Structures are given as C-alpha cells and as structure tokens.
Amino acid sequence: MKQQCLTNIDMIKFFASICIVFHHYQQLFNYSFSVKAMNFYGGFIQYGYFVELFFIISGFLAAYTLKIEQKFVSLYVSKIKKIWIPAVFSVLVSFIIIKIYQVKLGGGIWNINHSIPSIITSFLLVNQGWIIEYTPAINNPIWYICVLIWLYLIYYAIEKLISKIRSDRSRYYKIILYILFTLLGVLGWHFRFDAPFVHLSDCRGYASFFIGVMLFDLYKNQVISSKAIKIYAEIFFVIGILVILITRNFNWYIWTLIICPSIVVFLVFAPMVQSSLISEKNIRGISFQIYLWHVPVFYGLQLLIEIFNIEFKHGFISMIVTCIFVIFLAVILNKFWVLCKTAHTAGE
C-alpha cells in the first residue's frame, strides 16, 4: 500500500478522535453551546457515530496487515496485544481515580456507579460485545476495544478457514461472509438486537468493520481505475450529505453505509496530506491514546474540582485546553509504548 494511504488515514483518525473528546466533554460536564447545531453532544451531527469510522478503518487495516501464513493463535495474539495492555492500563488508572473519589467524597463520579461484574469485565476487556454486557465500563470508551477484539477473532477465523479451500472462488466466499456480517449489523441495529454476540455494540461493529475489510479488497483488486473509484466515492459522499441535510436527520444508516466508506475510499486514493508531524511519524498511535485517555483525564479533572472546591466554569476555552492536555498526554504515552515495544523486540 502506498504511504499516502496510511498517512491520510492517520489524519482522519486523529480528527475523529478529537471530535469524540469534544463529544464526551460536553456530555459528561453538561456543557453546551448556545447554538444547538454547533454542539458536539446533542447537536445536529451525532459525533458518537464517529466510532463507526474507527471500525471501518480498523477493518481496512486488519486486511492490509494480514499475514495469512501465520498460525491462527499467533496471528490473533500479535494483533490484540498491541491494544490490550494500553487499554487495560487506562482502565486501571480510571479505577484508581474512581476509588479515590469514592473514599474522599463518597458515591461515584457524576453519580455513576460500577458493579463488581462491570469492574471485572472492564479489566478483561469483555465489558461489551461478548456474552453479557455490563455497563457502564470503568473507562466507557473501551467498549469499542472490547468489540474490536471480538471482530478480529471472527475476521482471522474466516481468513484461515477460507485459505484452506483450494478454489479460485475463495475470495468470493469471503466477500459473501463479510456481506452477511454487515447485513447482520444493519438488521441488529434496526431491530435493536440484545443477545450474546449480537448486542447493539456488536452490530455497530459488524456493520462497519467488515465494510472496511471489503474496501481493502476493492483497493487490492481494482477492476476500474483509481480515478474512477475516487469519483464514485465523491459522488456517494455528496449524495449522503445531501440526504442528511434534506431530511434534517443525521441518519446512522447513511453515515455508516455511505458517508464513512466514501471518506475512507477518498483518503486511500487522495494525494498525501502534507504535515511536519506526519513526516516525522509522530502522529502514529496518538489518536488511539487520545481515545483511551480522554475520559480518565475528565475523571481526574472532576476529582480535583470537587476535592479542592475549585470554581471551575466549563466553556469553549476550558474544553480546548483540556483537549490540548489530552493530546499532550497521548503523545507522551505513545512514545512510552513505542519505547516499550522497541525494548521488548531488542530483548527477544
């Protein structure tokens, strides 16, 4: 894959993660702009649905990085260990902050209480998307990680099983299965499924992740020119936006099935975004750390406000400053995990 594809994808992940930070800031601190349409929470655009974009990108990159010659267990473990330890560490810090709050002030932060099953499943990263869902999680955004771990398991299982079929049609067998999982996700969302492995969280993942996998197949096996694919993506994107604007409804189906895939396809075939940050490869992994750590930072902020009885007025400036701090923390943590990985690799 050309470097420009990964670079552009990195940039949109970074942008989406910032939007989710703003979304949760307004939600948890109960802050809103006077113009409702501008709100990241409770406004016209449902920024919480940006997770669907993350799922699509995750599916695309899972297909891109697939090494089918690896054994199934090795393939799966090598993938999830990259996200497991950082995610569990964010849960641990969140848990410590919550416990300090309970000891010092009593009750839960924002009156959110966690059951013992919720605590255990949060640390195991099976809080949502598996057999039984226990909400809220200690660090609630990890629901995406929980579902993603399950999706990787399904995806690698399909790839390994189909690879054993010696047929020219094996590619089409896989695509059929991916389409079926996408349809399962759409139907599950529509009918509000709530059963083991078909919770709403699963359905959001099914509908998005396997679209990403199929987009990579489109990229890898182009039957028409890159220019034509890019034009089609632009057309679908415009149609999707027009439908949302005309109906005045930020429709999940339009967003997930038309707009997000169009964005990813356009980025894959678009010229590389020029940035000193990207040229130095500093942006890699930062969006993931932003996603993991913004809620723990909010926990810590609320703890300090209440313990020291700080007169803190939430507003646009405080939201921006908090976001900058989250980005700064994400940069440090990303470098830390890179160093850990380098040291581990050197020790092997």
Side-chain angles (χ1 to χ4, degrees):
M1 183 188 292
K2 298 178 181 179
Q3 179 62 35
Q4 69 184 51
C5 304
L6 299 179
T7 302
N8 292 343
I9 287 174
D10 284 335
M11 287 303 296
I12 197 63
K13 284 168 60 181
F14 181 80
F15 170 75
S17 65
I18 297 300
C19 289
I20 289 177
V21 172
F22 291 156
H23 170 78
H24 285 145
Y25 184 95
Q26 290 194 306
Q27 178 187 20
L28 294 174
F29 290 110
N30 195 28
Y31 163 70
S32 61
F33 298 123
S34 56
V35 180
K36 184 178 179 181
M38 294 177 59
N39 286 319
F40 288 87
Y41 176 75
F44 175 71
I45 299 177
Q46 302 295 319
Y47 286 95
Y49 291 164
F50 273 45
V51 176
E52 271 69 5
L53 182 59
F54 284 149
F55 275 128
I56 291 177
I57 291 173
S58 295
F60 186 94
L61 294 179
Y64 165 62
T65 58
L66 176 66
K67 296 179 180 179
I68 197 64
E69 68 276 4
Q70 282 186 268
K71 293 182 179 180
F72 174 76
V73 174
S74 174
L75 187 65
Y76 183 62
V77 171
S78 64
K79 188 67 176 180
I80 66 170
K81 72 179 182 181
K82 297 176 183 178
I83 60 178
W84 186 284
I85 297 176
V88 171
F89 184 50
S90 74
V91 173
L92 176 61
V93 173
S94 299
F95 180 74
I96 292 172
I97 296 173
I98 290 170
K99 282 302 175 184
I100 293 174
Y101 187 97
Q102 290 175 344
V103 171
K104 295 289 185 179
L105 301 166
I109 300 179
W110 297 299
N111 295 317
I112 300 173
N113 296 304
H114 301 90
S115 64
I116 292 178
S118 173
I119 294 171
I120 294 172
T121 54
S122 292
F123 278 102
L124 295 175
L125 298 185
V126 292
N127 184 265
Q128 289 186 247
W130 293 71
I131 299 174
I132 300 175
E133 293 196 326
Y134 296 99
T135 56
I138 297 297
N139 179 10
N140 209 45
I142 66 162
W143 77 266
Y144 159 74
I145 309 299
C146 299
V147 175
L148 190 61
I149 290 172
W150 168 239
L151 292 171
Y152 283 144
L153 183 63
I154 296 173
Y155 171 64
Y156 291 140
I158 290 174
E159 287 289 341
K160 294 300 288 186
L161 288 172
I162 299 299
S163 67
K164 298 181 183 300
I165 301 176
R166 305 299 179 184
S167 171
D168 295 336
R169 297 181 179 180
S170 59
R171 176 194 168 207
Y172 301 105
Y173 296 153
K174 290 188 293 185
I175 291 176
I176 290 172
L177 288 174
Y178 299 148
I179 291 174
L180 289 176
F181 270 107
T182 302
L183 290 175
L184 174 62
V186 173
L187 290 173
W189 175 265
H190 183 77
F191 293 105
R192 293 296 189 265
F193 287 175
D194 187 17
F197 304 109
V198 282
H199 301 285
L200 279 182
S201 56
D202 291 301
C203 295
R204 292 178 68 178
Y206 293 149
S208 308
F209 181 88
F210 289 103
I211 285 178
V213 172
M214 289 186 285
L215 288 180
F216 179 77
D217 183 84
L218 174 67
Y219 173 84
K220 183 180 179 182
N221 303 282
Q222 295 179 33
V223 294
I224 57 176
S225 67
S226 300
K227 183 178 180 180
I229 294 175
K230 183 180 174 183
I231 291 173
Y232 285 131
E234 292 170 348
I235 292 173
F236 278 111
F237 177 82
V238 171
I239 291 174
I241 295 297
L242 288 175
V243 170
I244 286 177
L245 292 176
I246 292 171
T247 60
R248 296 184 179 181
N249 176 27
F250 196 81
N251 189 289
W252 177 85
Y253 304 97
I254 299 297
W255 171 255
T256 303
L257 302 178
I258 297 179
I259 296 179
C260 284
S262 300
I263 292 172
V264 173
V265 170
F266 179 80
L267 291 174
V268 166
F269 293 101
M272 183 176 69
V273 177
Q274 298 296 326
S275 169
S276 59
L277 284 175
I278 297 174
S279 62
E280 297 172 8
K281 298 182 180 180
N282 290 330
I283 201 70
R284 297 289 170 83
I286 294 176
S287 58
F288 179 59
Q289 298 299 330
I290 290 173
Y291 184 84
L292 284 182
W293 285 96
H294 69 281
V295 168
V297 168
F298 296 165
Y299 285 164
L301 176 60
Q302 187 65 18
L303 176 66
L304 293 175
I305 289 173
E306 297 198 39
I307 283 183
F308 297 104
N309 198 24
I310 300 173
E311 293 284 339
F312 193 93
K313 184 177 180 180
H314 293 289
F316 178 75
I317 299 299
S318 64
M319 185 172 74
I320 296 298
V321 171
T322 305
C323 183
I324 291 173
F325 178 79
V326 171
I327 295 172
F328 176 73
L329 179 63
V331 171
I332 294 175
L333 288 169
N334 184 58
K335 288 185 177 181
F336 171 74
W337 293 118
V338 169
L339 289 173
C340 288
K341 180 180 178 181
T342 303
H344 177 72
T345 303
E348 289 182 343

